[in-house]
Amino acid sequence: MIHLENQYLKLIQNILKNGKLVETRNGNVKNIFGSQMRFSLENNTIPLITTKKLSWKVCLKELLWFVNGNTSNRILKNQNVKIWNGNASREFLNSRGLYHLKEDDLGPIYGHQWRYYNAKYDTCEQDYTGKGIDQLQNSIDLLKNDPYSRRNIITAWNPEQLDEMALPPCHILMQFNVSDQNKLSLSLYQRSADIALGVPFNIASYAFLTNMIASVCNLEPKEFIYTIGDAHIYEQHIEHLEKQVEKEPYEFPKLKLNHKTDIDDFVLSDFKIENYKYHPTIKMKMII
């Protein structure tokens, strides 16, 4: 059987071989447009990349931050999560024209759009309860009451508020599907994907999210389908990825997840990863 991680490794190889070198806002990249990967979530399988060590707890902390509707980087900093530091700096916010936001206030990014879609944004400290549209809870309710709906969609791409965000969302549209009466799949469209550092996190994050929603809705996780628009590799990462694609993947680990009835009740300790075997860490600098 072909290991599903090979989809990721083949995508890297395809970009390295066939990608065109282009100059972008934050450096030169090799890129291709339009690709898809599919990852089974059955039998408690969780697709954590094994050809390098993935910091899955960091990934989960960010996901729980999204789910809770948070947009303050200080919350992540307090948990030793640094992945948003560059985009939350005074210098970067100023480069986006967001002089009115305090440092570490990221504006109405993912969490705001998931839980308070299009609610007028003031600061990350404001309570937005009851404002905007709670897309995440609406999707859960729809899965419970009309599981075969073809309209079960969550979007983070809000044109009205893009200019208020520290960074316009990359993973922008998800759709839920129920098959075989109780099997839940999630399909994600991502407009822009940093293959080296972002994609392994995105695969893990949305696989975790599918499991969380399946638990709340008394469904069984089936599959994560991942569609990417612009898939790119930064010049600084090429050498590292050339080494990574030579690695042989290990079997994906298993996830043991505590059952919850409310999506807001999940905490980090509810997630147990078993038998995660991986190759050594590959240190790469995040490009802002």
Side-chain angles (χ1 to χ4, degrees):
M1 176 181 279
I2 297 176
H3 195 298
L4 293 178
E5 186 169 342
N6 283 318
Q7 297 174 101
Y8 173 60
L9 301 178
K10 287 181 179 179
L11 177 57
I12 294 172
Q13 292 170 327
N14 185 17
I15 298 171
L16 292 175
K17 180 179 178 181
N18 301 310
K20 305 301 180 185
L21 193 64
V22 296
E23 185 177 343
T24 71
R25 68 171 180 86
N26 54 359
N28 294 334
V29 301
K30 274 193 166 187
N31 73 339
I32 63 170
F33 187 74
S35 59
Q36 187 177 85
M37 296 178 278
R38 306 179 78 105
F39 296 93
S40 172
L41 305 179
E42 295 187 300
N43 300 315
N44 299 319
T45 299
I46 189 76
L48 305 184
I49 295 300
T50 67
T51 47
K52 68 173 183 179
K53 182 182 180 182
L54 180 74
S55 299
W56 63 268
K57 287 186 179 180
V58 172
C59 175
L60 255 178
K61 289 174 183 178
E62 182 196 41
L63 174 62
L64 294 172
W65 179 69
F66 290 157
V67 166
N68 290 330
N70 291 322
T71 59
S72 170
N73 187 49
R74 288 190 296 277
I75 294 172
L76 295 179
K77 280 183 171 179
N78 290 338
Q79 299 177 76
N80 199 32
V81 175
K82 305 173 183 178
I83 52 181
W84 282 90
N85 285 0
N87 298 117
S89 70
R90 180 74 270 155
E91 180 182 9
F92 190 85
L93 291 173
N94 287 352
S95 76
R96 290 276 294 153
L98 301 174
Y99 304 100
H100 62 290
L101 293 181
K102 292 182 180 179
E103 190 167 25
D104 286 325
D105 188 335
L106 291 158
I109 61 167
Y110 299 100
H112 189 81
Q113 302 305 328
W114 285 15
R115 305 309 304 266
Y116 317 110
Y117 182 86
N118 212 34
K120 186 180 183 302
Y121 191 84
D122 185 15
T123 73
C124 61
E125 298 171 358
Q126 183 172 323
D127 183 0
Y128 295 95
T129 302
K131 299 179 181 179
I133 299 170
D134 189 344
Q135 296 189 88
L136 185 58
Q137 188 58 53
N138 286 353
S139 279
I140 290 168
D141 293 342
L142 194 56
L143 285 168
K144 291 179 177 179
N145 298 313
D146 187 8
Y148 301 114
S149 173
R150 296 185 291 269
R151 301 175 182 178
N152 201 333
I153 288 172
I154 295 175
T155 178
W157 189 262
N158 181 356
E160 290 195 58
Q161 295 187 320
L162 289 179
D163 291 339
E164 300 176 51
M165 303 178 191
L167 188 70
C170 294
H171 31 108
I172 61 175
L173 187 80
M174 57 180 124
Q175 180 175 2
F176 298 96
N177 175 267
V178 175
S179 59
D180 302 325
Q181 296 188 322
N182 69 334
K183 304 285 189 180
L184 179 66
S185 294
L186 184 155
S187 179
L188 172 71
Y189 179 76
Q190 183 160 337
R191 66 169 180 87
S192 174
D194 171 1
I195 296 301
L197 295 177
V199 166
F201 257 58
N202 299 141
I203 294 169
S205 183
Y206 281 88
F208 281 131
L209 181 62
T210 308
N211 275 271
M212 292 165 66
I213 292 177
S215 176
V216 169
C217 296
N218 290 313
L219 300 169
E220 293 184 15
K222 179 182 179 182
E223 191 175 29
F224 169 53
I225 302 103
Y226 187 16
T227 304
I228 299 172
D230 186 299
H232 53 268
I233 295 173
Y234 289 98
E235 267 190 319
Q236 300 94 315
H237 297 158
I238 289 176
E239 182 180 351
H240 301 288
L241 292 181
E242 287 175 338
K243 295 177 181 177
Q244 185 175 347
V245 295
E246 296 175 356
K247 312 284 187 188
E248 192 68 31
Y250 296 115
E251 186 176 351
F252 281 145
K254 300 294 185 181
L255 170 66
K256 298 296 184 185
L257 180 63
N258 290 339
H259 175 66
K260 301 288 181 179
T261 57
D262 190 323
I263 194 69
D264 294 304
D265 288 346
F266 284 104
V267 295
L268 190 66
S269 59
D270 289 319
F271 300 78
K272 298 285 190 286
I273 300 297
E274 298 180 346
N275 302 317
Y276 182 30
K277 187 178 180 181
Y278 47 81
H279 291 272
T281 300
I282 299 176
K283 291 188 178 295
M284 290 179 272
K285 183 179 179 182
M286 185 174 176
I287 310 299
I288 304 302

